[in-house]
Amino acid sequence: ACYPDHDLALVVLTNLHGIDPYALGRKAAAAWFDAPAGTTADAVFPTAGRDRCAKSGDVIEIKRGAGPPVLATSSGPLPLETTGDGWWEPVSAVWDLRLRASGAGLDAVYCARHLRYEPIETPSVTAVAEFAGDYRSEELGSTYRVRAEKNEFLSVRMQGELGYYDTLLEPIASDLFRAAPADPRAAWNQPLLAFTRGTAGAVEGLLYSTDRTRNLRFARVA
């Protein structure tokens, strides 16, 4: 975990299955920042739905069922557990994140950075054809082919050196989609694809993000 505003990085290594390195890292960070332990009395469940941070552009999705709230991530759902004073954190997350219900949205602390998330509505995407095309990352040696299926919804073929992977794209926000694999065995791979536009408004590329990757750039190619 990196805390760039505080010039701090934490690394936890273990080869014992009974130790959760993510939870241990968060405890170390809390001790470093002298964060209060708090109580669970005020742990209000976050509202289910999608919220977006205007500052970072990140989207947080909370799902609710019979049990505790769940955070939807690119590597699958992560249950949230209370840490006290109304705060929640994902179990075994690869990053240090705390969430708290506040008004209609969420307050968040991401690697010691305070962020605000507001609710967003799922967009109605009609002009899907403008996203169709090939997008290339020379850094990865990969080409993603986005297809407009019957001009109603989008799918993408993620082509790399070792093969390819097909998945549908689910609209999340304006120009933002999440891979939505039909095969439950591929549920661990749900990256976000944020399409970028040029000065004339035409789609010219996309940014690929997962729990471990942020804004990996793919350029649109002929």
Side-chain angles (χ1 to χ4, degrees):
C2 294
Y3 301 81
D5 291 347
H6 300 273
D7 197 26
L8 172 68
L10 293 173
V11 178
V12 180
L13 301 175
T14 177
N15 62 354
L16 296 179
H17 188 269
I19 295 178
D20 185 343
Y22 306 114
L24 188 59
R26 291 196 297 269
K27 289 180 180 178
W32 182 273
F33 295 117
D34 197 23
T39 66
T40 61
D42 300 322
V44 178
F45 279 0
T47 303
R50 292 179 179 136
D51 300 84
R52 192 171 196 180
C53 176
K55 183 178 181 180
S56 67
D58 289 341
V59 174
I60 285 178
E61 182 174 4
I62 304 293
K63 296 183 177 181
R64 287 293 311 279
V70 173
L71 177 68
T73 72
S74 66
S75 55
L78 292 178
L80 294 171
E81 61 181 10
T82 181
T83 61
D85 292 339
W87 290 96
W88 297 78
E89 64 183 19
V91 178
S92 296
V94 298
W95 14 245
D96 189 346
L97 173 68
R98 291 189 297 148
L99 303 171
R100 181 174 63 184
S102 175
L106 296 169
D107 289 333
V109 180
Y110 175 75
C111 288
R113 289 179 173 174
H114 293 264
L115 301 173
R116 174 66 185 174
Y117 289 77
E118 298 291 350
I120 58 174
E121 297 293 334
T122 300
S124 176
V125 181
T126 55
V128 295
E130 66 174 332
F131 300 104
D134 289 354
Y135 300 82
R136 177 75 177 170
S137 168
E138 296 298 340
E139 182 178 1
L140 287 187
S142 297
T143 299
Y144 289 1
R145 174 162 292 177
V146 178
R147 295 173 289 195
E149 307 288 352
K150 300 179 180 178
N151 207 32
E152 295 177 358
F153 58 92
L154 293 174
S155 66
V156 60
R157 169 165 290 190
M158 302 178 182
Q159 181 78 46
E161 294 180 355
L162 302 180
Y164 66 86
Y165 171 67
D166 291 324
T167 182
L168 299 177
L169 291 180
E170 175 190 4
I172 299 296
S174 178
D175 292 345
L176 180 65
F177 296 81
R178 173 183 287 138
D183 188 340
R185 293 174 298 177
W188 59 269
N189 187 25
Q190 300 181 39
L192 288 175
L193 303 182
F195 290 89
T196 59
R197 297 179 182 269
T199 55
V203 177
E204 64 176 14
L206 65 82
L207 302 176
Y208 173 99
S209 296
T210 69
D211 296 343
R212 301 173 183 266
T213 307
R214 290 299 179 95
N215 296 330
L216 182 62
R217 185 174 299 277
F218 284 69
R220 195 170 194 171
V221 295

